[in-house]
Amino acid sequence: MTTTIPGPDGQPRCRWCAAAPEFFPYHDNEWGFPVDDDRRLFEKLSLEGFQSGLSWRTILAKRENFRAAFHGFDFDKVARFTERDVARLLQDAGIIRHRGKIEAVIHNAGRAREMVDREGSLAAFFWRYEPDAAKLGIPQTVSTSAESLALSKDLKKLGWKFVGPTTVYAFMQAMGLVNDHAEGCSIRARVERARGGFKRPAGGKGPAHPR
């Protein structure tokens, strides 16, 4: 099976873009490009938790609603949410109204604040789990990795919820810790250049996954 399809400009894109036309701009401008912004990292990990059991198309279509509901995923603000906020969110038809997932985001916001206090930033912690690119296999052939297993395990030890290894691996793909664009995808080289010029966050005191 071919791993690419023609994009709107006729150039090849990862095959998963065929599932929805709105995937093309997300794929071309976001997916796989390295991110060190803590709010974006927290947002993506939160949305991956909401996606559990659902499609990314559903989440992407509601992403702006999620951002409005969770104050732009400012985890300092989200950590202060109360049961009244949970009740409000359960009435918000613009998001996924799942109590467990909503409460997990609020809970994880508190863990994110703790991580910043300890590590300096979320980015400093997450980027220590970047795998050695030379040891990666064929793109998009696995849904977990040794690094996602390690990151999931360590996040759970720190009290985070909805951070299983598959969820964490999807987060790593999206936030550029791996370049999982198909070998023939026209965006792969752009992502690789972005990763090459990306300054990895420094700092942190927690466990570093061996590379």
Side-chain angles (χ1 to χ4, degrees), residues 82-123:
T82 65
E83 184 58 39
R84 180 177 294 181
D85 291 292
V86 174
R88 168 180 61 83
L89 292 168
L90 286 170
Q91 297 300 315
D92 188 340
I95 66 170
I96 305 300
R97 293 179 286 183
H98 183 292
R99 177 179 284 274
K101 294 176 180 180
I102 290 169
E103 291 179 341
V105 172
I106 298 168
H107 172 84
N108 288 347
R111 307 294 75 74
R113 291 178 68 181
E114 294 167 357
M115 184 176 286
V116 170
D117 288 343
R118 185 178 61 253
E119 309 288 345
S121 68
L122 302 187

Side-chain angles (χ1 to χ4, degrees), residues 3 24 41 49 56 58-59 66 78 81 97 104 135-137 141 143 145 149 159 176 201 208:
T3 57
F24 283 107
L41 291 167
W56 176 241
T58 298
I59 303 301
F66 276 110
V78 176
F81 278 16
R97 293 179 286 183
K135 296 180 181 178
L136 295 176
T141 56
S143 58
S145 67
L149 287 164

Side-chain angles (χ1 to χ4, degrees), residues 55-195:
S55 72
W56 176 241
R57 185 179 190 179
T58 298
I59 303 301
L60 188 60
K62 295 176 179 287
R63 185 165 63 168
E64 290 304 323
N65 298 333
F66 276 110
R67 287 171 172 169
F70 287 96
H71 296 301
F73 288 94
D74 180 335
F75 47 84
D76 287 319
K77 293 181 179 178
V78 176
R80 295 194 290 270
F81 278 16
T82 65
E83 184 58 39
R84 180 177 294 181
D85 291 292
V86 174
R88 168 180 61 83
L89 292 168
L90 286 170
Q91 297 300 315
D92 188 340
I95 66 170
I96 305 300
R97 293 179 286 183
H98 183 292
R99 177 179 284 274
K101 294 176 180 180
I102 290 169
E103 291 179 341
V105 172
I106 298 168
H107 172 84
N108 288 347
R111 307 294 75 74
R113 291 178 68 181
E114 294 167 357
M115 184 176 286
V116 170
D117 288 343
R118 185 178 61 253
E119 309 288 345
S121 68
L122 302 187
F125 182 85
F126 288 129
W127 275 93
R128 286 205 303 276
Y129 295 82
E130 179 188 8
D132 183 345
K135 296 180 181 178
L136 295 176
I138 298 172
Q140 299 177 42
T141 56
V142 299
S143 58
T144 63
S145 67
E147 292 79 15
S148 78
L149 287 164
L151 177 52
S152 172
K153 181 179 179 181
D154 290 340
L155 285 171
K156 288 176 180 178
K157 284 181 180 178
L158 294 170
W160 292 63
K161 298 180 179 180
F162 278 91
V163 287
T166 301
T167 293
V168 168
Y169 188 70
F171 163 81
M172 294 171 74
Q173 289 174 301
M175 298 289 95
L177 278 78
V178 297
N179 182 357
D180 226 20
H181 283 270
E183 293 289 353
C185 175
S186 61
I187 306 301
R188 182 177 177 84
R190 279 181 51 203
V191 167
E192 202 55 40
R193 286 194 297 272
R195 282 175 41 79

Side-chain angles (χ1 to χ4, degrees), residues 5-84:
I5 61 163
D9 58 0
Q11 296 300 307
R13 302 294 200 282
C14 292
R15 186 174 183 83
W16 57 263
C17 291
E22 61 266 31
F23 281 174
F24 283 107
Y26 173 72
H27 167 275
D28 288 5
N29 301 306
E30 294 186 55
W31 196 74
F33 288 89
V35 174
D36 62 0
D37 178 84
D38 278 3
R39 195 179 294 192
R40 284 188 61 196
L41 291 167
F42 181 71
E43 173 187 289
K44 183 58 178 172
L45 196 56
S46 298
L47 293 180
E48 287 294 346
F50 271 106
Q51 187 189 341
S52 180
L54 302 169
S55 72
W56 176 241
R57 185 179 190 179
T58 298
I59 303 301
L60 188 60
K62 295 176 179 287
R63 185 165 63 168
E64 290 304 323
N65 298 333
F66 276 110
R67 287 171 172 169
F70 287 96
H71 296 301
F73 288 94
D74 180 335
F75 47 84
D76 287 319
K77 293 181 179 178
V78 176
R80 295 194 290 270
F81 278 16
T82 65
E83 184 58 39
R84 180 177 294 181

